[in-house]
Amino acid sequence: MPGPWKRSEPLDLLLALQGGGAHGAFTWGVLDRLLEEPAFGIEAVSATSSGAVNAVAMAHGWIQDGREGARTHLARTWQRIGEKGALASWGLPPAAGGVAWLTEFTRHLTPAQLNPLGLNPLADLLDELIDFERIRAAPPFRLHVAATRVRDGALVLFTGERLTCEAVLASACLPQLFRAVEIDGDAHWDGGYAGNPALAPLVYEARARDLLCVLVQPLESPRLPTSAREIADRALELTFSTTFLRELEALATNQQLIRGKLALTSLGRRLQSLRLHLVEPGASLAEAGGKAKLDTRPAMLGALCALGRERAGQWLEAHRSALGSHSSWSLPAG
């Protein structure tokens, strides 16, 4: 195993955090492992849905006690999610049976019918755990939270003074379960429809050159879905990943096109200098199915965190030398 990687000063990373319900606990594990590395700093984070929950939890903890505070608060946030998950809050068992029941009923009932009181356990958790006013006043890194504007499908990024509890709720608003979140007169749904996560603010508004994407959905599905449920789950996964994958592919393609050219604009030089990296969960989450994204049992969240730590450790072992030097991910051939 390579020895510790030492630098005279921390290398700032740009983090793109994908959303995916309870699978966001995988990202918790990845972040927990990365935060153990004092050689890395963070300039900016772009996040969607459960990725946005991870981002604001990390920021809140960082303000309190630096990177160790970030690790502690991430753990606390996911512990509370496990204790007060959505299924338990609706009087359903937070186990496979409750998940299957809820998943089935969302196919036939609107949020107003399924959830007439407008319950949203995440709202209570964010109110309890995250000091948004403090994050807006003194952010430890720049935050971009993605939501989808319902009327036209546009990507909306909440940052700076617009970063509120409502913005994170909008980013995580699954329309099958929750009523749209209204902000500035517009209704918003889960950001995954428009950008999961959005790369543009990290590419065009930041200075750091190492862009690390943390995915909760594997790049490839190991087998062809055959049952009606598997087909529906896979179709939804593709819906939530297509925009991000196209953005990532376009970025990598543009880098290839301008490689080696000398007469570049400032944007061209920026694109040429970006180094792309990617951590993803592998086949184990691909086989879990869509209903697992609603499974907030503490044991499940703990297992996902452990997987995230493991995958981040493997990635660091294989690609640590690429950070600050070159991309560790490129477009697959063909």
Side-chain angles (χ1 to χ4, degrees):
M1 179 180 296
W5 185 58
K6 298 180 180 179
R7 295 178 60 90
S8 58
E9 58 184 33
L11 174 73
D12 276 346
L13 301 178
L14 304 170
L15 298 179
L17 307 182
Q18 196 173 61
H23 286 180
F26 171 84
T27 301
W28 162 33
V30 172
L31 295 174
D32 186 68
R33 179 64 186 87
L34 291 175
L35 288 166
E36 290 180 344
E37 300 280 338
F40 305 141
I42 301 172
E43 181 189 346
V45 181
S46 178
T48 299
S49 196
S50 58
V53 174
N54 277 314
V56 296
M58 181 168 63
H60 177 103
W62 197 299
I63 291 171
Q64 290 184 319
D65 191 23
R67 63 181 64 242
E68 282 305 312
R71 294 183 65 206
T72 298
H73 204 67
L74 278 165
R76 184 185 176 205
T77 298
W78 284 97
Q79 178 185 9
R80 293 293 290 129
I81 290 172
E83 292 170 351
K84 192 179 179 180
L87 298 180
S89 298
W90 286 336
L92 298 171
V99 172
W101 185 96
L102 186 60
T103 302
E104 179 63 25
F105 270 74
T106 58
R107 299 171 62 187
H108 307 286
L109 301 176
T110 68
Q113 294 168 319
L114 180 66
N115 183 15
L117 298 179
L119 300 175
N120 191 336
L122 180 59
D124 295 334
L125 282 168
L126 292 174
D127 186 61
E128 171 192 344
L129 296 170
I130 308 299
D131 187 341
F132 284 94
E133 183 176 349
R134 196 172 178 189
I135 291 175
R136 289 193 298 271
F141 35 78
R142 191 163 179 81
L143 285 160
H144 307 273
V145 169
T148 303
R149 193 164 59 205
V150 178
R151 63 179 169 86
D152 59 1
L155 171 69
V156 179
L157 291 171
F158 295 96
T159 191
E161 290 301 313
R162 301 188 73 207
L163 185 62
T164 62
C165 179
E166 288 72 24
V168 177
L169 291 175
S171 183
C173 179
L174 286 174
Q176 299 89 346
L177 295 177
F178 305 111
R179 297 173 183 175
V181 177
E182 185 172 316
I183 300 174
D184 297 333
D186 273 313
H188 297 82
W189 281 345
D190 193 294
Y193 294 108
N196 191 22
L199 298 183
L202 303 180
V203 173
Y204 304 118
E205 300 176 26
R207 290 180 295 177
R209 298 179 180 182
D210 287 88
L211 196 168
L212 174 60
C213 302
V214 182
L215 308 187
V216 298
Q217 182 173 305
L219 287 178
E220 296 184 4
S221 181
R223 61 187 179 87
L224 179 69
T226 55
S227 71
R229 184 72 263 167
E230 289 173 342
I231 291 170
D233 287 344
R234 183 58 178 157
L236 185 61
E237 286 177 349
L238 294 174
T239 298
F240 275 104
S241 65
T242 298
T243 301
F244 162 74
L245 291 175
R246 296 295 173 268
E247 193 175 9
L248 184 64
E249 290 170 0
L251 177 58
T253 298
N254 286 332
Q255 286 187 311
Q256 291 177 351
L257 291 174
I258 64 176
R259 184 170 296 142
K261 294 186 176 180
L262 299 179
L264 293 174
T265 64
S266 58
L267 175 57
R269 290 191 294 272
R270 169 65 178 164
L271 292 176
Q272 192 177 65
S273 69
L274 275 175
R275 298 179 282 263
L276 305 179
H277 313 284
L278 190 147
V279 177
E280 56 105 8
S284 56
L285 283 195
E287 296 170 352
K291 66 183 181 182
K293 294 178 181 179
L294 296 175
D295 191 344
T296 58
R297 288 175 291 174
M300 177 64 71
L301 299 180
L304 287 167
C305 176
L307 176 63
R309 283 188 54 85
E310 177 185 355
R311 295 289 289 182
Q314 292 170 347
W315 183 85
L316 284 169
E317 184 174 352
H319 302 297
R320 184 187 295 268
S321 62
L323 290 165
S325 174
H326 58 272
S327 293
S328 62
W329 179 87
S330 60
L331 279 174

